[in-house]
Amino acid sequence: DYVERKHGRQKVQYLIPELEPILDVTYGVILYQEQVMKIAGDIAGFSMAEADSLRKAMGKKIASVMEQQQERFVTGAVKNGVSKEKAEELFRLVETFAGYGFNKSHSAAYAMIAYQTAYLKTHFPVEFMAAVLTSEMNSSDNVAKYIAECRNMGINILPPDINESDKNFTVAGGKIRFGLAAIKNVGESAIDSILEMRKESRFDSLFDFCRKVDLRRVNKRVIESLIQCGAFDATGYNRAQLMAVAEEALEYGQNVQKEKNDPQMSLFGKVEETDPINLPLIPDLPPWDEKQLLELEKEAIGFYITAHPLDEYLDVMEKYANAGALAVKEDGIKDGQAVRVGGMVKSIKTIITRKGDSMAFMDLEDLQGSIEIIIFPNLYATIQELLQVDAPLFVQGVVQKNEQNAKILADEIVAIDRAEEYWAASLHIHLDAAVSNETTIADLYHILQKYPGACRAYLHVKIPEKSETIISLPEKMKFKAGVELAREVNALLGENALQTMCTPIRATANGNGNRYGNGKGKGKPRRNNGRKKVG
């Protein structure tokens, strides 16, 4: 209403004439807490203290207090010449304000900051996101969130580098270089020593590093964290090799520094600081497999940066999930809302209920964060074999939320790589008439016959730059969606020739806990057997 009225597309109206001098600056819309207090004072006869009490009651939505306030408001407004009907309507209007209103002085500050940050993010996106990441370095969850935002914006995040990284996140050739201060176990004192030595010359190896830095500030734990997160990758050895020789490199550095600082040695003049003959040998070891590399990387910096175990599932997660772990925790998703999230199992805790049934508490992690999942006995009994650490899963359920935390009460759990089978409602096959012939159609028919199932199918026949005809295949021709079918059809017709439309995410059937889905994707209603909210 505010925007429409501001631009003249909607007429500015006032419920009663007395509101005009109070709301004229906001086009008749209540925006500010000061306006609420002014309405209560000028129209209902409240004192300033009483008006402030009304504002607080609305903010906290205390029902018993609101009843008293409404009676007091209506009585005062009627006394000042407003009809009872209008007074009651005005109170409801003021009450609605509590859902979005704010202090006027705050609004000015927020508007200015919103404008400035939007400008910077638009015109200097890399510099802006580097600054945001630096401001959140002490929170792994927030750094992970903003790195995901960088990926969405097409900004590359370069891993930590012992020769290139500064203390903070910095801009390097249109990309963002990871800051040393965001690495776990690497304190400010250690970083200062590293940066001081780097002013003189770059580090050409792990041994060179240990020879130069102050090992009273850079200890074994610091070195191992730097290796794990990839800060030494540019020196030419893989992380497995560097970790195997870390202790020897530390001892080598300590010996070099001890000799350098030995008063007796100084009698014979300057000591050469490098002696390649005495360098320990680096073993010839294969690199860590991707799983180990990513896990140790996450251990060092709190999240994955080189890659993410879920990267291969991003397309299917984008198609079938309607929320992420972070979104569930934030204000956009409300208590009781139905969601479907995709992620990787990070931990599972199984307990036995009083009735002797098993249920589970699971942490599911996606690219931006993690969310707790509650799995009640009925569902647990049907999907317990899926509950393995690091397993990629979809969870469909209902959000349970309060001021302290958020969790999902699961209704259905499906392996990510089988999502197409469970949730694909229809298949759409795109065929280019210009490059297809009878043989193409016959080959497509034979592929489809290998995958009978429950999905309706539609053939989109395109004549480039002219027309597209959509043919609904017969009811008796239904197919099973999945990776294998998509692979074969795309190999025949071209990339993305097969597309699936997914079923909508089903909400709670009623307020007392009927849920859709039985954990096997059959889509039939079932009772929750007395499911209660979890404390």
Side-chain angles (χ1 to χ4, degrees), residues 456-467:
R456 288 295 307 271
Y458 300 85
L459 188 62
H460 296 242
V461 182
K462 295 183 179 181
I463 300 176
E465 299 181 3
K466 288 188 178 180
S467 66

Side-chain angles (χ1 to χ4, degrees), residues 55 132 166 198 269 287 338 413 431 449:
R55 177 190 64 77
V132 171
D166 206 333
R198 208 171 71 192
I413 294 179
L431 188 146
Q449 291 303 300

Side-chain angles (χ1 to χ4, degrees), residues 237-415:
Y237 293 96
N238 66 55
R239 298 179 198 182
Q241 291 174 296
L242 293 170
M243 191 64 86
V245 81
E247 196 162 339
E248 289 181 78
L250 188 61
E251 289 178 7
Y252 166 80
Q254 289 169 340
N255 290 335
V256 170
Q257 292 183 22
K258 184 178 178 182
E259 288 183 9
K260 180 183 174 183
N261 297 322
D262 189 336
Q264 291 185 342
M265 297 299 293
S266 64
L267 293 173
F268 302 96
K270 185 178 179 182
V271 177
E272 285 295 323
E273 294 183 8
T274 56
D275 186 356
I277 298 173
N278 295 327
L279 283 178
L281 294 174
I282 296 181
D284 184 15
L285 295 174
W288 290 326
D289 61 44
E290 186 177 59
K291 181 180 178 182
Q292 185 179 9
L293 183 142
L294 292 179
E295 283 300 323
L296 290 171
E297 185 173 279
K298 186 181 181 187
E299 185 182 307
I301 54 180
F303 45 87
Y304 305 104
I305 187 166
T306 302
H308 196 289
L310 291 172
D311 283 349
E312 62 181 297
Y313 302 109
L314 290 183
D315 288 345
V316 72
M317 286 172 65
E318 186 175 338
K319 182 187 295 184
Y320 290 106
N322 75 331
L326 186 67
V328 172
K329 294 178 179 178
E330 294 184 341
D331 294 337
I333 292 179
K334 305 299 181 185
D335 181 46
Q337 187 170 333
V339 295
R340 184 187 292 153
V341 299
M344 192 167 60
V345 179
K346 295 314 297 175
S347 65
I348 306 161
K349 179 183 178 183
T350 305
I351 65 169
I352 305 298
T353 67
R354 292 178 182 176
K355 294 182 178 180
D357 300 319
S358 294
M359 65 175 288
F361 297 83
M362 176 176 79
D363 279 329
L364 190 76
E365 181 184 84
D366 62 13
L367 274 70
Q368 297 187 359
S370 62
I371 186 75
E372 184 180 11
I373 312 294
I374 313 298
I375 306 165
F376 288 96
N378 276 4
L379 178 59
Y380 181 84
T382 64
I383 53 84
Q384 58 180 302
E385 71 279 359
L386 296 178
L387 304 183
Q388 306 290 332
V389 172
D390 294 334
L393 302 175
F394 273 118
V395 174
Q396 183 170 295
V398 176
V399 174
Q400 180 181 315
K401 204 169 193 178
N402 57 37
E403 292 181 2
Q404 284 74 41
N405 55 41
K407 55 194 75 173
I408 297 173
L409 311 185
D411 291 326
E412 196 169 354
I413 294 179
V414 170

Side-chain angles (χ1 to χ4, degrees), residues 185 190 214-224 250:
N185 304 320
D214 185 347
L215 295 177
R216 293 168 298 181
R217 294 190 279 174
V218 181
N219 57 28
K220 181 184 175 184
R221 199 174 179 190
V222 170
I223 293 169
E224 288 180 342
L250 188 61

